[in-house]
Amino acid sequence: TVFIIAMLFSFTPYTANAQENSYSSEKIIERFSNGDYITSSIEQYPASSSRSSASKDISGQKVYNYRSNNGTILWTITCKATFSYNGKSSSCTSVTASTKTYSSLWTMTNKKSHKSGNTATATATGKRYSGHTVIQSVTRSAVLKCSASGKLS
C-alpha cells in the first residue's frame, strides 16, 4: 500500500504557481585584450500584487560573469532587486549586491549597491593577483531597470 500511495503522489501535478521565472540568454557585453570577457544575464521572478491593487511587485537579478578566455567563470557580480510598478511608472524598493569568486587568483572588493528611481545598481571590483601584487583590476556595475509595465532590463 505504501507503493500505491507513493505512485499516486508521483503523478499528481504541481500547480501551486503557474508562472515560472524567466531568464534572458547570456550575452557577451565586453571583451578584454587577454581574451577574457564579461557576460550578462537577467532572471525575472513572477510578479505579485502589493498592498495596493493598482500596483504590483516584481523581483529579479542581473548577473555579470567575468570569464576566462576558455569560458570558465572567474567571478560574478549580482544585482538582486525588487521593484513596484503600476503601468504608468516604476520604482526600485530594495537592492542587494553580492559577489563570488571561483579562482584563488582573484578577490572581490568595494562591493556596494544603490537604488534610484526605477534603477538598481550593484558595483564591485575584481582584483587579480600574482603573488602579493595586483596585476589586473576590473570595476564594473550591474544595472537592473524596471519598466512601467514590469519588464526588467
Side-chain angles (χ1 to χ4, degrees):
T1 57
V2 174
F3 176 74
I4 293 170
I5 293 171
M7 291 298 291
L8 287 172
F9 283 114
S10 67
F11 291 112
T12 304
Y14 178 74
T15 58
N17 187 357
Q19 292 180 322
E20 294 184 6
N21 298 354
S22 66
Y23 301 87
S24 71
S25 58
E26 200 168 8
K27 299 176 186 174
I28 296 174
I29 59 169
E30 184 176 0
R31 290 189 183 273
F32 296 85
S33 59
N34 64 356
D36 293 355
Y37 57 100
I38 295 177
T39 59
S40 173
S41 63
I42 295 174
E43 181 177 1
Q44 182 166 324
Y45 311 120
S48 63
S49 296
S50 63
R51 292 179 291 291
S52 165
S53 61
S55 66
K56 291 185 176 182
D57 293 331
I58 193 153
S59 298
Q61 63 184 24
K62 181 175 272 191
V63 179
Y64 276 13
N65 290 315
Y66 184 97
R67 295 177 177 269
S68 67
N69 57 9
N70 67 6
T72 302
I73 298 174
L74 301 175
W75 52 262
T76 63
I77 300 172
T78 301
C79 178
K80 187 171 186 177
T82 301
F83 299 88
S84 179
Y85 68 97
N86 61 17
K88 295 181 181 179
S89 65
S90 64
S91 63
C92 179
T93 56
S94 69
V95 60
T96 304
S98 61
T99 61
K100 189 165 186 179
T101 56
Y102 299 91
S103 168
S104 60
L105 300 177
W106 287 87
T107 62
M108 299 302 291
T109 62
N110 303 325
K111 178 182 72 174
K112 57 187 173 183
S113 61
H114 175 73
K115 64 183 174 89
S116 177
N118 68 338
T119 303
T121 306
T123 303
T125 301
K127 292 183 179 179
R128 182 179 176 193
Y129 286 84
S130 177
H132 296 292
T133 305
V134 175
I135 59 172
Q136 186 180 3
S137 181
V138 179
T139 300
R140 293 296 178 270
S141 295
V143 179
L144 187 62
K145 295 184 178 186
C146 181
S147 71
S149 62
K151 179 162 175 53
L152 300 184
S153 60

